[in-house]
Amino acid sequence: MGPALLFCPADRPERFAKAAERADAVILDLEDAVAPDAKDYARRNLAEVPLDPERTIVRLNAAGRGTSGVHFEADLDALEATPYRTVMLAKAEAPEQLALLRSYRVVALCETAAGVLAAPAIAAEPNAVALMWGAEDLVASLGGTSSRTDDGAYRAVALHARSAVLLAAGAHGKAAIDAVYTDIPDLAGLAAESADAVASGFAAKACIHPSQVAAVRAAYAPSAEAVAGALALLAAAEAAGTGVFQHDGKMIDGPILRHAEMVVRRSRTQHAG
């Protein structure tokens, strides 16, 4: 599964195939993108308009009490009639919630204060395959009004949550997915944020519009110059035969070599795809 994941409302079946064609994976959304009175229709579409299950994630409503819990149970009933076995759990807040999804691979969406604080325990669950974070729901859960400052940069609390979820996923060997970029026309801002996601260690970034896919893919595809530099560095390391050496005036050790290996790996993955 590649780096560009595209949300698609599950009540818009005419968009399913187009989303699958344009992105590396599709997230069929049963939660926020679907109005309450359209959720039953959205669930039926899961079985009636099938996609490749290896490249499809179904975002479920949050597990819990009240209306959300009722929708969650209905989502699970609908999934039984589909081949989909990878789900995204909205507003994940406790490892016990993943126990309700033992037969599924779970992308836990940590998008509340409780979810971010519980991210390490959630990531430790065997069926958690990835963690994602969300800025807007997080700020809403805190009683705030905006996740970003006027210049478009994340506020400190959002940056803290982003790092916390990334670290929790990494500590347990799970993938981390970066949050959506909501300013759809601002492709330059998306490109910069995607580049930071790559450099920081996020395995993928979620998109909310097909026009965003190319910018995310481009950020995850190393340039020819970057690949050539990484290969030269690895060749120099093999020739040096020592733990620490100098290359182009810089000290090179194990972690720097692993950075170079990752660049080469991403390049090979890109060409294989």
Tab-separated table of all heavy atoms in Angstrom, residues 1-9 15-29 51 55-57 88 177 180 204-213 216-217:
chain	number	residue	atom	x	y	z
A	1	MET	N	0.854	-1.189	0.000
A	1	MET	CA	0.000	0.000	0.000
A	1	MET	C	0.888	1.237	0.000
A	1	MET	O	1.806	1.347	0.800
A	1	MET	CB	-0.909	-0.011	1.236
A	1	MET	CG	-2.049	0.974	1.181
A	1	MET	SD	-3.124	0.882	2.636
A	1	MET	CE	-3.887	-0.715	2.376
A	2	GLY	N	0.636	2.139	-0.939
A	2	GLY	CA	1.485	3.304	-1.084
A	2	GLY	C	1.172	4.421	-0.107
A	2	GLY	O	0.339	4.270	0.792
A	3	PRO	N	1.792	5.577	-0.301
A	3	PRO	CA	1.719	6.646	0.711
A	3	PRO	C	0.502	7.553	0.648
A	3	PRO	O	0.243	8.279	1.601
A	3	PRO	CB	2.987	7.455	0.427
A	3	PRO	CG	3.175	7.302	-1.051
A	3	PRO	CD	2.769	5.883	-1.359
A	4	ALA	N	-0.246	7.539	-0.453
A	4	ALA	CA	-1.365	8.475	-0.596
A	4	ALA	C	-2.687	7.747	-0.372
A	4	ALA	O	-3.121	6.944	-1.207
A	4	ALA	CB	-1.350	9.115	-1.982
A	5	LEU	N	-3.327	8.027	0.765
A	5	LEU	CA	-4.591	7.396	1.120
A	5	LEU	C	-5.707	8.425	0.930
A	5	LEU	O	-5.617	9.534	1.465
A	5	LEU	CB	-4.565	6.922	2.577
A	5	LEU	CG	-3.306	6.169	3.028
A	5	LEU	CD1	-3.449	5.734	4.481
A	5	LEU	CD2	-3.029	4.983	2.126
A	6	LEU	N	-6.738	8.057	0.211
A	6	LEU	CA	-7.780	9.019	-0.149
A	6	LEU	C	-9.111	8.660	0.504
A	6	LEU	O	-9.646	7.572	0.286
A	6	LEU	CB	-7.951	9.059	-1.670
A	6	LEU	CG	-9.024	9.992	-2.240
A	6	LEU	CD1	-8.755	11.448	-1.846
A	6	LEU	CD2	-9.090	9.847	-3.765
A	7	PHE	N	-9.646	9.591	1.303
A	7	PHE	CA	-10.973	9.407	1.883
A	7	PHE	C	-12.042	9.526	0.796
A	7	PHE	O	-11.953	10.387	-0.093
A	7	PHE	CB	-11.243	10.470	2.947
A	7	PHE	CG	-10.671	10.152	4.295
A	7	PHE	CD1	-9.477	10.727	4.719
A	7	PHE	CD2	-11.330	9.286	5.157
A	7	PHE	CE1	-8.955	10.434	5.971
A	7	PHE	CE2	-10.820	8.994	6.413
A	7	PHE	CZ	-9.624	9.568	6.820
A	8	CYS	N	-13.057	8.675	0.900
A	8	CYS	CA	-14.194	8.730	-0.017
A	8	CYS	C	-15.463	8.463	0.785
A	8	CYS	O	-15.548	7.430	1.468
A	8	CYS	CB	-14.035	7.689	-1.119
A	8	CYS	SG	-15.387	7.680	-2.322
A	9	PRO	N	-16.440	9.359	0.751
A	9	PRO	CA	-17.684	9.115	1.494
A	9	PRO	C	-18.358	7.836	1.015
A	9	PRO	O	-18.531	7.628	-0.188
A	9	PRO	CB	-18.541	10.350	1.185
A	9	PRO	CG	-17.568	11.389	0.719
A	9	PRO	CD	-16.475	10.645	0.025
A	15	ARG	N	-18.216	7.398	-6.744
A	15	ARG	CA	-16.829	7.878	-6.616
A	15	ARG	C	-15.855	6.758	-6.242
A	15	ARG	O	-14.639	6.982	-6.270
A	15	ARG	CB	-16.746	8.977	-5.551
A	15	ARG	CG	-17.529	10.229	-5.872
A	15	ARG	CD	-17.304	11.278	-4.793
A	15	ARG	NE	-18.058	12.502	-5.032
A	15	ARG	CZ	-18.058	13.544	-4.215
A	15	ARG	NH1	-17.332	13.505	-3.094
A	15	ARG	NH2	-18.773	14.621	-4.490
A	16	PHE	N	-16.346	5.604	-5.871
A	16	PHE	CA	-15.466	4.544	-5.357
A	16	PHE	C	-14.365	4.188	-6.353
A	16	PHE	O	-13.172	4.178	-6.014
A	16	PHE	CB	-16.274	3.292	-5.021
A	16	PHE	CG	-17.123	3.379	-3.780
A	16	PHE	CD1	-17.354	4.586	-3.142
A	16	PHE	CD2	-17.699	2.230	-3.250
A	16	PHE	CE1	-18.144	4.655	-2.011
A	16	PHE	CE2	-18.484	2.288	-2.114
A	16	PHE	CZ	-18.716	3.500	-1.497
A	17	ALA	N	-14.746	3.830	-7.575
A	17	ALA	CA	-13.774	3.376	-8.559
A	17	ALA	C	-12.782	4.483	-8.919
A	17	ALA	O	-11.581	4.232	-9.072
A	17	ALA	CB	-14.483	2.877	-9.814
A	18	LYS	N	-13.282	5.715	-9.042
A	18	LYS	CA	-12.394	6.831	-9.364
A	18	LYS	C	-11.374	7.051	-8.259
A	18	LYS	O	-10.190	7.309	-8.539
A	18	LYS	CB	-13.219	8.101	-9.581
A	18	LYS	CG	-14.113	8.060	-10.809
A	18	LYS	CD	-14.927	9.333	-10.935
A	18	LYS	CE	-15.855	9.275	-12.141
A	18	LYS	NZ	-16.691	10.505	-12.254
A	19	ALA	N	-11.809	6.953	-7.004
A	19	ALA	CA	-10.881	7.118	-5.886
A	19	ALA	C	-9.822	6.022	-5.901
A	19	ALA	O	-8.638	6.277	-5.659
A	19	ALA	CB	-11.650	7.099	-4.564
A	20	ALA	N	-10.241	4.798	-6.202
A	20	ALA	CA	-9.302	3.673	-6.237
A	20	ALA	C	-8.280	3.838	-7.351
A	20	ALA	O	-7.112	3.454	-7.206
A	20	ALA	CB	-10.067	2.364	-6.407
A	21	GLU	N	-8.704	4.416	-8.471
A	21	GLU	CA	-7.791	4.629	-9.594
A	21	GLU	C	-6.740	5.692	-9.283
A	21	GLU	O	-5.607	5.602	-9.745
A	21	GLU	CB	-8.586	5.059	-10.835
A	21	GLU	CG	-9.439	3.954	-11.446
A	21	GLU	CD	-10.359	4.496	-12.533
A	21	GLU	OE1	-10.291	5.725	-12.810
A	21	GLU	OE2	-11.140	3.707	-13.089
A	22	ARG	N	-7.124	6.685	-8.495
A	22	ARG	CA	-6.254	7.848	-8.306
A	22	ARG	C	-5.331	7.748	-7.103
A	22	ARG	O	-4.309	8.437	-7.054
A	22	ARG	CB	-7.120	9.108	-8.184
A	22	ARG	CG	-7.925	9.394	-9.439
A	22	ARG	CD	-8.746	10.658	-9.305
A	22	ARG	NE	-9.583	10.880	-10.484
A	22	ARG	CZ	-10.355	11.942	-10.654
A	22	ARG	NH1	-10.402	12.881	-9.721
A	22	ARG	NH2	-11.089	12.062	-11.746
A	23	ALA	N	-5.667	6.918	-6.133
A	23	ALA	CA	-4.878	6.863	-4.890
A	23	ALA	C	-4.262	5.489	-4.701
A	23	ALA	O	-4.591	4.532	-5.409
A	23	ALA	CB	-5.765	7.222	-3.703
A	24	ASP	N	-3.374	5.404	-3.737
A	24	ASP	CA	-2.751	4.122	-3.417
A	24	ASP	C	-3.675	3.233	-2.602
A	24	ASP	O	-3.576	2.004	-2.658
A	24	ASP	CB	-1.442	4.358	-2.656
A	24	ASP	CG	-0.447	5.157	-3.484
A	24	ASP	OD1	-0.206	4.764	-4.637
A	24	ASP	OD2	0.070	6.175	-2.997
A	25	ALA	N	-4.554	3.837	-1.850
A	25	ALA	CA	-5.574	3.111	-1.102
A	25	ALA	C	-6.738	4.049	-0.848
A	25	ALA	O	-6.560	5.274	-0.777
A	25	ALA	CB	-5.026	2.577	0.219
A	26	VAL	N	-7.928	3.473	-0.722
A	26	VAL	CA	-9.135	4.253	-0.483
A	26	VAL	C	-9.630	4.000	0.935
A	26	VAL	O	-9.622	2.861	1.408
A	26	VAL	CB	-10.247	3.862	-1.483
A	26	VAL	CG1	-11.521	4.659	-1.214
A	26	VAL	CG2	-9.778	4.084	-2.906
A	27	ILE	N	-10.040	5.075	1.605
A	27	ILE	CA	-10.675	4.962	2.917
A	27	ILE	C	-12.155	5.249	2.720
A	27	ILE	O	-12.563	6.407	2.541
A	27	ILE	CB	-10.068	5.955	3.926
A	27	ILE	CG1	-8.548	5.762	4.030
A	27	ILE	CG2	-10.722	5.769	5.302
A	27	ILE	CD1	-7.844	6.864	4.820
A	28	LEU	N	-12.970	4.208	2.699
A	28	LEU	CA	-14.419	4.379	2.576
A	28	LEU	C	-14.950	4.833	3.926
A	28	LEU	O	-14.860	4.107	4.915
A	28	LEU	CB	-15.069	3.069	2.137
A	28	LEU	CG	-14.656	2.554	0.757
A	28	LEU	CD1	-15.360	1.232	0.455
A	28	LEU	CD2	-14.947	3.579	-0.340
A	29	ASP	N	-15.492	6.026	3.955
A	29	ASP	CA	-15.821	6.686	5.216
A	29	ASP	C	-17.292	6.496	5.576
A	29	ASP	O	-18.184	6.948	4.862
A	29	ASP	CB	-15.498	8.173	5.101
A	29	ASP	CG	-15.511	8.886	6.445
A	29	ASP	OD1	-15.806	8.231	7.461
A	29	ASP	OD2	-15.219	10.093	6.461
A	51	LEU	N	-14.521	-2.979	-4.000
A	51	LEU	CA	-13.186	-2.551	-4.412
A	51	LEU	C	-12.192	-3.632	-4.013
A	51	LEU	O	-12.533	-4.603	-3.327
A	51	LEU	CB	-12.821	-1.226	-3.734
A	51	LEU	CG	-13.642	0.006	-4.099
A	51	LEU	CD1	-13.191	1.201	-3.251
A	51	LEU	CD2	-13.522	0.331	-5.580
A	55	ARG	N	-6.515	-2.855	-0.969
A	55	ARG	CA	-6.255	-1.424	-1.105
A	55	ARG	C	-7.425	-0.597	-0.598
A	55	ARG	O	-7.626	0.539	-1.008
A	55	ARG	CB	-5.961	-1.058	-2.562
A	55	ARG	CG	-4.728	-1.712	-3.142
A	55	ARG	CD	-4.521	-1.375	-4.609
A	55	ARG	NE	-4.554	0.059	-4.843
A	55	ARG	CZ	-5.453	0.676	-5.617
A	55	ARG	NH1	-6.423	-0.017	-6.202
A	55	ARG	NH2	-5.394	1.974	-5.792
A	56	THR	N	-8.182	-1.187	0.320
A	56	THR	CA	-9.370	-0.501	0.842
A	56	THR	C	-9.409	-0.574	2.358
A	56	THR	O	-9.187	-1.636	2.939
A	56	THR	CB	-10.659	-1.135	0.271
A	56	THR	OG1	-10.600	-1.132	-1.160
A	56	THR	CG2	-11.885	-0.356	0.730
A	57	ILE	N	-9.679	0.563	2.969
A	57	ILE	CA	-9.853	0.684	4.413
A	57	ILE	C	-11.255	1.238	4.648
A	57	ILE	O	-11.686	2.147	3.925
A	57	ILE	CB	-8.804	1.641	5.023
A	57	ILE	CG1	-7.378	1.143	4.729
A	57	ILE	CG2	-9.017	1.797	6.535
A	57	ILE	CD1	-6.303	2.185	5.007
A	88	MET	N	-10.533	1.486	9.853
A	88	MET	CA	-10.018	2.629	10.603
A	88	MET	C	-11.033	2.931	11.700
A	88	MET	O	-12.211	3.167	11.408
A	88	MET	CB	-9.822	3.840	9.692
A	88	MET	CG	-9.381	5.106	10.430
A	88	MET	SD	-9.123	6.520	9.295
A	88	MET	CE	-7.608	6.016	8.465
A	177	ILE	N	0.345	7.333	10.131
A	177	ILE	CA	-0.251	8.051	9.000
A	177	ILE	C	-0.481	9.499	9.407
A	177	ILE	O	-1.089	9.769	10.454
A	177	ILE	CB	-1.582	7.393	8.589
A	177	ILE	CG1	-1.347	5.933	8.197
A	177	ILE	CG2	-2.227	8.162	7.430
A	177	ILE	CD1	-2.621	5.136	8.017
A	180	VAL	N	-4.876	14.735	7.514
A	180	VAL	CA	-5.247	15.390	6.255
A	180	VAL	C	-4.863	16.865	6.285
A	180	VAL	O	-4.726	17.477	7.345
A	180	VAL	CB	-6.760	15.251	5.987
A	180	VAL	CG1	-7.159	13.794	5.881
A	180	VAL	CG2	-7.576	15.962	7.062
A	204	ALA	N	2.662	7.245	5.531
A	204	ALA	CA	1.669	7.673	4.549
A	204	ALA	C	1.011	8.953	5.035
A	204	ALA	O	1.170	9.356	6.199
A	204	ALA	CB	0.612	6.590	4.330
A	205	LYS	N	0.265	9.572	4.116
A	205	LYS	CA	-0.512	10.766	4.469
A	205	LYS	C	-1.900	10.623	3.859
A	205	LYS	O	-2.040	10.174	2.715
A	205	LYS	CB	0.158	12.044	3.969
A	205	LYS	CG	-0.534	13.320	4.462
A	205	LYS	CD	0.305	14.545	4.183
A	205	LYS	CE	-0.373	15.818	4.698
A	205	LYS	NZ	-0.493	15.841	6.167
A	206	ALA	N	-2.906	10.996	4.619
A	206	ALA	CA	-4.277	10.896	4.144
A	206	ALA	C	-4.655	12.142	3.348
A	206	ALA	O	-4.202	13.249	3.651
A	206	ALA	CB	-5.234	10.716	5.316
A	207	CYS	N	-5.489	11.945	2.329
A	207	CYS	CA	-5.957	13.026	1.468
A	207	CYS	C	-7.477	13.112	1.532
A	207	CYS	O	-8.149	12.100	1.756
A	207	CYS	CB	-5.543	12.785	0.021
A	207	CYS	SG	-3.776	12.533	-0.245
A	208	ILE	N	-7.993	14.306	1.295
A	208	ILE	CA	-9.450	14.482	1.270
A	208	ILE	C	-9.954	14.864	-0.118
A	208	ILE	O	-11.165	14.997	-0.303
A	208	ILE	CB	-9.912	15.545	2.294
A	208	ILE	CG1	-9.184	16.873	2.074
A	208	ILE	CG2	-9.721	15.024	3.713
A	208	ILE	CD1	-9.715	18.005	2.946
A	209	HIS	N	-9.034	15.007	-1.081
A	209	HIS	CA	-9.437	15.358	-2.438
A	209	HIS	C	-8.452	14.716	-3.415
A	209	HIS	O	-7.241	14.670	-3.133
A	209	HIS	CB	-9.447	16.880	-2.619
A	209	HIS	CG	-10.122	17.331	-3.878
A	209	HIS	ND1	-9.459	17.413	-5.081
A	209	HIS	CD2	-11.407	17.714	-4.124
A	209	HIS	CE1	-10.300	17.844	-6.017
A	209	HIS	NE2	-11.492	18.024	-5.464
A	210	PRO	N	-8.933	14.226	-4.553
A	210	PRO	CA	-8.021	13.587	-5.516
A	210	PRO	C	-6.870	14.475	-5.957
A	210	PRO	O	-5.782	13.980	-6.284
A	210	PRO	CB	-8.947	13.247	-6.692
A	210	PRO	CG	-10.302	13.121	-6.097
A	210	PRO	CD	-10.347	14.135	-4.979
A	211	SER	N	-7.074	15.789	-5.985
A	211	SER	CA	-6.015	16.697	-6.426
A	211	SER	C	-4.813	16.689	-5.492
A	211	SER	O	-3.737	17.176	-5.862
A	211	SER	CB	-6.564	18.120	-6.546
A	211	SER	OG	-6.948	18.631	-5.268
A	212	GLN	N	-4.975	16.158	-4.293
A	212	GLN	CA	-3.878	16.142	-3.324
A	212	GLN	C	-2.953	14.939	-3.488
A	212	GLN	O	-1.836	14.936	-2.968
A	212	GLN	CB	-4.448	16.154	-1.903
A	212	GLN	CG	-5.231	17.403	-1.553
A	212	GLN	CD	-5.750	17.366	-0.127
A	212	GLN	OE1	-6.201	16.332	0.358
A	212	GLN	NE2	-5.706	18.501	0.552
A	213	VAL	N	-3.401	13.927	-4.192
A	213	VAL	CA	-2.651	12.673	-4.275
A	213	VAL	C	-1.269	12.869	-4.887
A	213	VAL	O	-0.265	12.352	-4.385
A	213	VAL	CB	-3.449	11.623	-5.068
A	213	VAL	CG1	-2.579	10.406	-5.398
A	213	VAL	CG2	-4.679	11.194	-4.280
A	216	VAL	N	1.354	14.338	-2.518
A	216	VAL	CA	1.797	13.383	-1.500
A	216	VAL	C	2.741	12.361	-2.119
A	216	VAL	O	3.817	12.065	-1.575
A	216	VAL	CB	0.588	12.694	-0.849
A	216	VAL	CG1	1.051	11.560	0.069
A	216	VAL	CG2	-0.238	13.706	-0.063
A	217	ARG	N	2.366	11.818	-3.258
A	217	ARG	CA	3.245	10.836	-3.921
A	217	ARG	C	4.601	11.438	-4.259
A	217	ARG	O	5.640	10.791	-4.103
A	217	ARG	CB	2.566	10.317	-5.182
A	217	ARG	CG	1.477	9.290	-4.929
A	217	ARG	CD	0.831	8.884	-6.231
A	217	ARG	NE	-0.065	7.742	-6.076
A	217	ARG	CZ	-0.946	7.363	-6.976
A	217	ARG	NH1	-1.053	8.040	-8.122
A	217	ARG	NH2	-1.713	6.305	-6.773
